[in-house]
Amino acid sequence: MDIPNIAIIMSTTRTGRFCDRPANWISDLADARDDMRTELIDLRDYPMPFFDEPASNAWVPSRDEVALRWQRKVAEFDGYIFVTAEYNRSPPAVLKNALDYAYPEWNRKPMACLGYGSVGAARSIEQLRLIAVELQMAPTRTGVHIQGGEFFEALQNGKDLNAIPYIADNAVTMLDELVWWTMALRSARI
């Protein structure tokens, strides 16, 4: 079996977002391994309207051309890493919208989360895990949370993410779990 193909989904689209830095950081860590390949996916490249379909694409094919392109992209991957902020205790609306525009493409695949913000996007990630279960995905136990003063130092002063002592170990554990679940679920889907 070939190595898993993992999408790193950049979950915000705002101007001046912080998302690019942790997305590139986790991509570099993952790409240094020999047990997965990754691709950065930017939701800016998939400007879908707020969900405006008759039903989920599990039941009715989508009509929106960008949504169809998004579904084809999501289907290419064996697993996912969501790099997310926390907006008012939840994931960014653009991410929730993107999740809603696909359904069978997510099914029986694992997902992991890297969050950032004052509490490391812990509440956003908790909601993403609940959404993932509804989409028949398997969330990893371990995530990466860039939080508190470390986050603000990185955001405002450009602190190197490699200088944050706790996140590299969490990232390795998260990636290990993601690979394990990816292989187990991919084998079961065959």
Side-chain angles (χ1 to χ4, degrees), residues 106-182:
W106 303 117
N107 291 178
R108 296 182 175 94
K109 297 177 184 177
M111 60 82 80
C113 295
L114 186 166
Y116 55 88
S118 64
V119 294
R123 298 166 296 210
S124 173
I125 289 171
E126 195 62 28
Q127 287 188 33
L128 284 172
R129 287 178 174 144
L130 293 171
I131 294 164
V133 169
E134 184 61 26
L135 293 171
Q136 299 187 50
M137 293 167 56
T140 62
R141 179 189 179 280
T142 303
V144 177
H145 302 270
I146 304 170
Q147 58 190 335
E150 303 283 2
F151 165 68
F152 289 110
E153 280 291 311
L155 176 67
Q156 296 169 346
N157 302 322
K159 180 175 184 168
D160 183 356
L161 298 181
N162 290 311
I164 301 173
Y166 56 87
I167 65 172
D169 289 343
N170 285 358
V172 169
T173 302
M174 180 188 78
L175 293 171
D176 288 346
E177 290 173 8
L178 184 62
V179 168
W180 190 94
W181 279 105
T182 300

Side-chain angles (χ1 to χ4, degrees), residues 1 39 55 73 111 170 184:
M1 225 184 239
E39 182 179 339
K73 179 51 83 174
M111 60 82 80
N170 285 358

Side-chain angles (χ1 to χ4, degrees), residues 59-90:
W59 309 110
V60 177
S62 296
R63 297 175 300 203
D64 184 84
E65 191 55 43
V66 179
L68 293 169
R69 188 168 51 87
W70 169 246
Q71 292 160 7
R72 287 190 299 271
K73 179 51 83 174
V74 169
E76 292 177 14
F77 298 97
D78 300 305
Y80 310 92
I81 299 170
F82 296 101
V83 179
T84 188
E86 182 173 308
Y87 295 167
N88 298 317
R89 297 181 179 250
S90 73

Side-chain angles (χ1 to χ4, degrees), residues 44-66:
R44 287 177 175 169
D45 297 331
Y46 298 90
M48 293 170 279
F50 283 113
F51 190 77
D52 188 27
E53 298 289 341
S56 163
N57 73 323
W59 309 110
V60 177
S62 296
R63 297 175 300 203
D64 184 84
E65 191 55 43
V66 179

